């Protein structure tokens, strides 16, 4: 009976492992280990909907790297999940190696940090962005390894030239997947109350910010997307610490 696991050299130092059916975890692990004695990297391309093969790749110690799109397999253009292991990866029977394995496939959530800045009349600071029609609170995406609190301070300084200390977290708003975006969690921090004269200190990042001003809640409803307006109102009211799309 032919071995259902095959290992093929596809580039200098790179092996590709394939299997038929459901080989045992031990057999796959041995094949991966054997391939790494002669290669620096071993990889597997697994079907998007083939959960069984994805589990097999994971428990064989291959880390999920992402999705390669538009590859031709058996004459058909399709997408494949890429799993791989390199020779220097920590063994999966060691704590660090096992954590890296889990980290490669467990869900990750995009985080956005925004700042609620108000004037003495209760108006809210909004930014008109260059890349969309709707106005929004100042802030942006949290970088990998960055704290949300530091992220919003950095974004406000980069976009508006204002050094504002973030205060308490006033709202956590979950945003469902929408128009090509994955879902995300938006954290709104209190930016304090400042006189309208603070606008004179604004230095807009021209690539991202077209205008900035204090707006009444009625103006927020007119200028912002509906879910942003709901988020602003929820943050201002402080009645709920958690919302979903502002609700």
């Amino acid at each position: 009976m032919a071995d259902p696991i095959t290992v093929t050299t596809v580039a200098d130092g790179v092996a590709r492992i394939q299997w038929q059916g459901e080989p045992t975890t031990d057999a796959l692990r041995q094949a991966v280990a054997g391939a790494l004695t002669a290669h620096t990297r071993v990889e597997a391309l697994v079907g998007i909907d083939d959960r069984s093969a994805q589990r097999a790749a994971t428990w064989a110690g291959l880390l999920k790297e992402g999705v390669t799109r538009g590859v031709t397999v058996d004459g058909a253009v399709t997408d494949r999940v890429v799993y791989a292991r390199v020779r220097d990866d920590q063994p999966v029977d060691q704590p660090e190696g096992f954590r890296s394995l889990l980290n490669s496939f467990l869900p990750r959530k995009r985080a956005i940090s925004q700042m609620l800045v108000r004037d003495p009349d209760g108006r809210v600071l909004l930014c008109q962005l260059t890349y969309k029609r709707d106005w929004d609170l100042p802030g942006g995406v949290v970088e990998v390894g960055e704290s949300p609190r530091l992220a919003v301070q950095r974004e406000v300084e980069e976009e508006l030239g204002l050094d504002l200390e973030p205060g308490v977290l006033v709202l956590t708003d979950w945003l469902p997947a929408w128009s090509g975006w994955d879902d995300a969690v938006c954290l709104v921090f209190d930016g304090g109350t400042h006189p309208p004269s603070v606008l004179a200190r604004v230095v807009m990042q021209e690539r991202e910010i077209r205008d900035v001003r204090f707006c009444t809640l009625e103006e927020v409803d007119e200028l912002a997307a509906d879910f942003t307006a709901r988020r602003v109102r929820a943050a201002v009211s402080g009645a709920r610490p958690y919302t979903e799309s502002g609700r």
Side-chain angles (χ1 to χ4, degrees):
M1 181 175 179
D3 190 338
I5 303 172
T6 60
V7 177
T8 307
T9 300
V10 294
D12 187 21
V14 180
R16 184 166 298 160
I17 187 169
Q18 297 174 284
W19 59 89
Q20 300 295 326
E22 297 185 9
T24 66
T25 297
D26 284 344
L28 268 180
R29 284 182 176 175
Q30 291 172 11
V32 169
L36 287 175
T37 62
H39 303 81
T40 57
R41 171 184 169 89
V42 58
E43 64 184 24
L45 304 183
V46 179
I48 293 286
D49 299 319
D50 193 343
R51 304 302 181 193
S52 175
Q54 291 175 28
R55 285 193 299 270
T58 297
W59 297 121
L62 299 172
L63 280 66
K64 184 178 180 181
E65 293 186 338
V67 176
T68 182
R69 300 181 300 151
V71 296
T72 301
V73 178
D74 297 329
V77 178
T78 186
D79 299 340
R80 285 290 185 265
V81 184
V82 181
Y83 289 84
R85 187 164 190 82
V86 298
R87 189 180 294 166
D88 293 337
D89 284 341
Q90 290 289 322
V92 294
D93 59 356
Q94 298 297 318
E96 183 178 347
F98 187 63
R99 287 193 294 267
S100 295
L101 179 67
L102 293 178
N103 192 57
S104 75
F105 69 85
L106 288 175
R108 300 185 183 188
K109 189 78 67 179
R110 180 178 292 115
I112 300 167
S113 279
Q114 294 186 325
M115 188 175 286
L116 180 68
V117 180
R118 287 171 280 190
D119 71 1
D121 293 327
R123 296 182 300 173
V124 176
L125 189 71
L126 284 191
C127 299
Q128 184 183 27
L129 306 174
T130 60
Y131 49 86
K132 63 180 182 180
R133 292 181 299 172
D134 305 319
W135 292 56
D136 208 342
L137 292 171
V141 175
V142 181
E143 300 291 345
V144 175
E146 182 181 39
S147 94
R149 188 174 184 277
L150 291 179
V152 72
Q153 186 172 16
R154 171 185 56 76
E155 287 282 352
V156 170
E157 186 170 4
E158 289 177 355
E159 295 181 349
L160 303 178
L162 297 176
D163 183 12
L164 302 181
E165 184 78 14
V168 298
L169 180 68
V170 294
L171 180 70
T172 299
D173 186 33
W174 176 73
L175 307 176
W178 175 79
S179 189
W181 285 103
D182 290 339
D183 71 319
V185 172
C186 182
L187 306 173
V188 183
F189 291 86
D190 184 15
T193 299
H194 302 269
S197 60
V198 74
L199 296 178
R201 292 163 37 203
V202 168
V203 179
M204 291 183 290
Q205 186 184 70
E206 295 182 359
R207 189 176 69 253
E208 295 191 27
I209 307 298
R210 183 174 290 120
D211 195 7
V212 59
R213 71 185 199 218
F214 282 104
C215 301
T216 65
L217 292 181
E218 289 72 25
E219 290 172 323
V220 172
D221 292 338
E222 295 175 4
L223 296 172
D226 56 355
F227 56 88
T228 300
R230 291 194 299 270
R231 184 187 316 132
V232 171
R233 285 183 174 272
V236 168
S237 73
R240 298 183 182 88
Y242 174 79
T243 57
E244 295 187 353
S245 194
R247 294 189 176 91

